[in-house]
Amino acid sequence: MIKRILDRIPEFCLSHWLLRIPLAIVFIQQGLSKFPVILEDAQSFDLPYIVWWFAAYGELGAGIGVLLGGLLTKPWLPIFKRCYIPEVGDILTRFSGITMCCIMTGVIWVGQPSSLTDVLLYDNFHVLLWVGGLFFALRGNRH
């Protein structure tokens, strides 16, 4: 009986966008908030300039990459049908997810938590962003 009820529920094949869009918005917003990338901002977090630079451009690139990777699942315009390679979107989504995980790991480490329990209990926003990135890193564009 439960199987019949579940079979009647339509499948929503675009549900990955419900995670993809807010995650991308947060990363793009955080990346843009670091511009212009200057040494004084890096020093305020006791980070080398190069780390701050990679964080800013990495956040912006990961957010755009997750959105663009999702759009590259189909040739949306007829002009792209000839040169469409679906693996490019999948690789872009996975790379962006890995980038999100790397950045969030760094953000969590900069906070210098005393234990893993502190991270899970008090830094749950960054953990959620880390898990979102991990989802796209492992899943890619497969639905």
Side-chain angles (χ1 to χ4, degrees):
M1 178 167 156
I2 294 176
K3 182 166 175 26
R4 280 189 298 172
I5 294 171
L6 292 176
D7 287 341
R8 288 184 183 181
I9 299 173
E11 184 177 328
F12 182 55
C13 63
L14 298 175
S15 59
H16 61 96
W17 287 104
L18 297 175
L19 178 60
R20 193 180 294 261
I21 291 172
L23 190 65
I25 288 171
V26 168
F27 272 87
I28 290 170
Q29 184 268 327
Q30 288 297 313
L32 289 175
S33 72
K34 291 175 177 58
F35 284 90
V37 182
I38 56 175
L39 181 61
E40 289 78 23
D41 290 341
Q43 289 173 340
S44 69
F45 286 95
D46 290 330
L47 293 173
Y49 177 75
I50 191 71
V51 173
W52 189 251
W53 187 91
F54 274 110
Y57 284 96
E59 287 172 348
L60 185 60
I64 292 170
V66 163
L67 290 176
L68 192 59
L71 290 174
L72 293 177
T73 57
K74 296 182 197 175
W76 294 100
L77 299 172
I79 191 171
F80 294 134
K81 286 189 182 192
R82 220 180 280 161
C83 61
Y84 173 65
I85 304 170
E87 290 79 17
V88 171
D90 187 59
I91 290 170
L92 183 58
T93 297
R94 290 176 188 271
F95 180 75
S96 298
I98 291 168
T99 303
M100 289 176 175
C101 286
C102 292
I103 290 170
M104 283 302 106
T105 299
V107 168
I108 292 169
W109 277 347
V110 165
Q112 299 177 346
S114 58
S115 68
L116 179 62
T117 306
D118 282 351
V119 172
L120 296 175
L121 291 177
Y122 305 115
D123 202 7
N124 48 19
F125 179 67
H126 293 125
V127 171
L128 179 67
L129 295 176
W130 188 87
V131 171
L134 185 63
F135 173 81
F136 286 111
L138 296 175
R139 186 79 176 163
N141 286 341
R142 288 183 287 164
H143 307 125

